[in-house]
Amino acid sequence: MTDEREHLMILNDEEGDLTVMLTGDLTLPQASALHRALTELPTNRDARLDLSGSGRFDTAGAWVVARARQRFAAAGHILTITGANDTTDSLLGAVEDAMPVPATRPKPRTGIGARLDGLGRAVASGARFGMALTGYLGIFLARLGRSIRHPGEFRLTALVHHCHEVGFKAVPIVSLMAFLIGVVLAFQGSAQLRQFGAEVFVVDLIAVSVLRELGILLTAIIVAGRTASAFTAAIGSMKMREEIDAMRTLGLDPAMVLFVPRILALLLMLPILGLIANLMGLFGGALMAWIELGISPAMFYTRLVEGTDIGHLMVGTAKAPVFALIIGIVGCHAGMQVESNAESLGRMTSNAVVTAIFAVIVADAMFSIFFAQVGI
Amino acid sequence: MAGGDRNTDEIVISVRGLRNQFGSHVVHENLDLDVRRGEILGVVGGSGTGKSVLLRTIAGLQKPTSGSVEVMGVDVLSADEETRTALEARWGVMFQDGALFSSLTVRENVEVPMRAVVGLDPEIRVALADLRISMAGLPWNAGDKYPAELSGGMRKRAGLARALALDPEIVFLDEPTAGLDPIGASAFDELIVKLSRAMGLTVFLVTHDLDTLHAVCDRIAVLAERKVLVTGTMKQMLKVDHPWVHEYFHGPRARAALDAAAE
């Protein structure tokens, strides 16, 4: 190929008339070299391009020739093609007909203005997203109210099915997670507290942190990962295949059929999962405290009942319904945003998980501030 | 309609004794087929007769149970990696819904095959991609769009642009006009004829569309009873008295297409 480049053209620069002869293949691999060579031609007079000595000729070759002709035409001169056979001629004709209009693509804006523009759009879309979520909360509450007034429309079978999926099937992973967190807390707590000879306070440490914060927060995070993605995938694939539209045409309300059983199942199941997590966390902590510090289960129990206020459990459990609503609404909303392609389904599913976890943590932080202010 | 003078007798695709079997379900048995250089061959057959399977087998996407497939003198099934890669650059495949890479714009999709060409400047590659897009009959601003933003017909055109990016000698089209409105379908028919004539393409076309068969195909191959039952021009097809073939080419839809073509 490299050798061929030198033989690409012979210039016959006779009096006033420029003849260029192309030799060798005029195909895609040679297109760059050929284009460069033809760009160097002076366009200050008419010229002839002789193809009679050329080899294979493809669309790329035709493009190069067509570009050269355009360049001559722009300079007010003519590049005549000679020696082309029928196939070359027809290809050249097809390419010249299709030569794209020189693109007048708008230049992307740069600078401070564009950045401010981007920031503004991001803030606006964030606000719109928040409003959309609030809207979905409203829809859910309205449909829930409707199903209380018209119990016949409520889908009990679906609710039981989703309770099974969301709650029962999550028990093993939630239990294991909470047990391990209890173990870790006891282990780390005992290492620090031993320095002050205050080993027994490890019970308070475990009880307060598990009951008040970690039990429900980590359960919510696990459920967000499991369930928000499942909701988005299920609703999103129905949206993708126009099943949601089909439901609407059949007089079924997607919010009633799809959202209410799912979110309600989460509302019922998340507090229970949180309680299971609390129990398992305390169990793991007690076990580790016994092994590591010699605090017997009986002693752990006594200290737990005496030293830990029931308020901690209340605070923890009170958050569960809020987390459940957040996870359910984020999951259902993301599912409804899926467009008609598989890529958006994947994108919305991972968005749902990230948003749900983030929102749960933000809500938890707000709860902490609130409870600290009211002094519970 | 057939550009008979352009067709040489050189055989570019030769299938012999092909057998495709999925589990106990035999799709092809002892199937023979020849495709000549420069012709547009339409493959028809009822649903489930393995038209797409045949296309996929010839294009090397599916290994047959037995038989031989020779494309431009190369045995597709036993060729080594290097020969196959060289061969694959000489054919293009357009899948039913375009099969465009959804994370790339249309222009980037068309550029993909050209990226493998050594010594091609990026600006020229972009310009050539724009040319293919325009030759496939898409508006100039379609290059910046993502496949999801295009209509079905535009996706097919973009798929064709990508299949033709390396100026292949053979192009395989799987149901090119399925799901298009009649105007879009006949425009696509015209496009196939125009491009194949301009670029000297051999076209292997799987279709259900009788209008396409009339408007585009030089020869027709009918798949039935697990093999290529008959091949020939439209005129010859009308004389075949096999019940399915007769029903296919003499049914009410066929007659309407025939009348339309005769006008």
Side-chain angles (χ1 to χ4, degrees), chain A residues 178-206:
Chain A
F179 174 80
L180 292 175
I181 290 296
V183 167
V184 169
L185 275 178
F187 198 70
Q188 296 298 329
S190 65
Q192 298 301 318
L193 292 171
R194 192 181 285 150
Q195 297 174 18
F196 312 105
E199 287 97 327
V200 78
F201 284 105
V202 85
V203 180
D204 300 68
L205 174 75
I206 294 167

Side-chain angles (χ1 to χ4, degrees), chain B residues 103-115:
Chain B
S103 57
L104 302 178
T105 63
V106 169
R107 182 181 299 109
E108 288 164 342
N109 260 289
V110 180
E111 279 181 58
V112 167
M114 288 194 273
R115 282 176 194 275

Side-chain angles (χ1 to χ4, degrees), chain A residues 203 299-309:
Chain A
V203 180
M299 193 170 154
F300 190 95
Y301 176 75
T302 319
R303 179 81 204 156
L304 180 70
V305 173
E306 283 175 2
T308 314
D309 191 59

Side-chain angles (χ1 to χ4, degrees), chain A residues 231-349:
Chain A
F231 284 5
T232 306
I235 295 176
S237 60
M238 291 182 76
K239 180 91 194 307
M240 204 168 85
R241 288 192 303 243
E242 298 183 320
E243 287 173 43
I244 307 258
D245 297 333
M247 284 170 107
R248 286 207 179 101
T249 60
L250 295 172
L252 294 169
D253 178 10
M256 191 63 146
V257 178
L258 300 174
F259 302 170
V260 170
R262 285 185 167 82
I263 301 177
L264 196 59
L266 256 179
L267 263 176
L268 296 175
M269 289 298 118
L270 196 64
I272 300 176
L273 285 174
L275 286 177
I276 293 174
N278 287 345
L279 271 177
M280 290 304 289
L282 292 178
F283 173 64
L287 195 70
M288 204 61 200
W290 192 20
I291 295 170
E292 188 67 16
L293 299 170
I295 299 174
S296 70
M299 193 170 154
F300 190 95
Y301 176 75
T302 319
R303 179 81 204 156
L304 180 70
V305 173
E306 283 175 2
T308 314
D309 191 59
I310 190 76
H312 294 310
L313 181 65
M314 292 304 179
V315 165
T317 314
K319 299 181 204 170
V322 177
F323 290 171
L325 276 178
I326 289 174
I327 297 168
I329 284 167
V330 166
C332 291
H333 172 260
M336 292 299 280
Q337 306 309 306
V338 171
E339 293 149 32
S340 57
N341 56 69
E343 200 196 357
S344 75
L345 179 62
R347 196 175 59 238
M348 290 320 298
T349 307

Side-chain angles (χ1 to χ4, degrees), chain A residues 28 31 35 59-60 63-64 67 70 95 98-103 105, chain B residues 107 110-111 114 120-135:
Chain A
L28 191 58
H35 182 62
T59 317
W63 175 81
V64 172
R67 267 308 280 273
Q70 275 186 343
V95 168
M99 276 306 261
V101 192
R105 239 167 278 152
Chain B
R107 182 181 299 109
V110 180
E111 279 181 58
M114 288 194 273
L120 188 65
D121 293 343
E123 310 93 75
I124 295 190
R125 192 174 62 215
V126 170
L128 283 174
D130 279 338
L131 174 66
R132 312 275 177 193
I133 291 166
S134 149
M135 280 176 89

Side-chain angles (χ1 to χ4, degrees), chain B residues 210-211 214 234 238 249-250 253-263:
Chain B
L210 285 150
D211 293 304
H214 279 293
M234 199 63 183
L238 294 172
F249 289 101
H250 291 272
R253 278 159 177 270
R255 219 164 299 136
L258 197 62
D259 292 346
E263 271 167 25

